[in-house]
Amino acid sequence: MTKRRLAVAASVILLITLFFYLVGYKLDALSAARANSFVPKDSVLLDEVDYPWGKVLIFDSLEKPITAISFKSFGFLWVSRTSTYYFHNDDSIETIGGVLYSDDKGRSTTVISVLLNDPQISYLEIGPEGNRLRKKAALNVPITFSWDKSFPWNDFNAKAFNEDGKILYEYRYAKTNYTRSEDLKWYPVSVKSP
């Protein structure tokens, strides 16, 4: 009788484990993000941001740059069902990832990550007044900004500066009446000669 109960208990545990695995629960944040159906299989992890409630993971792939959020669940399992994507481009500053997220469980984040290709850029500043962050420029490595609150992209007031403090680029939509999601990117600021 004891062997039978042990076999039933083992079978139940195996079925529960299999169920959690099949619906996307994993033992770590990266595995959970890779199980997210929107994260391409060929994706490469570029950067990640840790929060007490989970992680934001920034990937690149041949198809598109994508950001996934992995949430801690049941104390030791992770699941990822939230993602955003960006567009590849050859601009001097490429946004490679980011997310604006807030929920009724008190989990909030704003993340934006970029790659720089312009050696004239000395530093970047991003964030609304009172939450503004500054980071030194580095070519061809992810530069990631993160906050533990969510605010809209138009409050980013994101700018790239040269070593003299002159604005070289700003993050915005193209100045047209028609906007597309791929038009939200870094645009050069035209400097007028005196």
Side-chain angles (χ1 to χ4, degrees), residues 32-53:
R34 290 197 181 281
N36 185 319
S37 61
F38 292 103
V39 175
K41 299 302 176 208
D42 70 338
S43 63
V44 175
L45 180 66
L46 298 178
D47 205 356
E48 60 186 61
V49 180
D50 292 316
Y51 289 97
W53 47 262

Side-chain angles (χ1 to χ4, degrees), residues 86 98-102 108-112 126-129 131-132 147 149-158 171-173 184:
Y86 287 81
V99 66
L100 308 171
Y101 182 82
S102 184
S108 295
T109 183
T110 299
V111 173
I112 183 169
I126 301 177
E129 206 58 45
N131 286 297
R132 199 142 178 81
W147 298 263
K149 56 183 76 177
S150 180
F151 48 85
W153 74 267
N154 52 338
D155 287 348
F156 283 1
N157 193 22
Y171 189 67
R172 60 175 172 76
Y173 277 104
L184 178 60

Side-chain angles (χ1 to χ4, degrees), residues 107-166:
R107 303 178 295 196
S108 295
T109 183
T110 299
V111 173
I112 183 169
S113 188
V114 299
L115 281 178
L116 305 179
N117 298 315
D118 185 344
Q120 293 181 42
I121 300 170
S122 180
Y123 63 95
L124 295 119
E125 285 187 0
I126 301 177
E129 206 58 45
N131 286 297
R132 199 142 178 81
L133 300 177
R134 177 190 279 200
K135 292 201 176 186
K136 186 172 173 39
L139 295 178
N140 301 311
V141 294
I143 302 171
T144 303
F145 294 81
S146 64
W147 298 263
D148 60 359
K149 56 183 76 177
S150 180
F151 48 85
W153 74 267
N154 52 338
D155 287 348
F156 283 1
N157 193 22
K159 298 188 182 337
F161 298 85
N162 69 10
E163 63 184 22
D164 297 326
K166 297 225 187 316

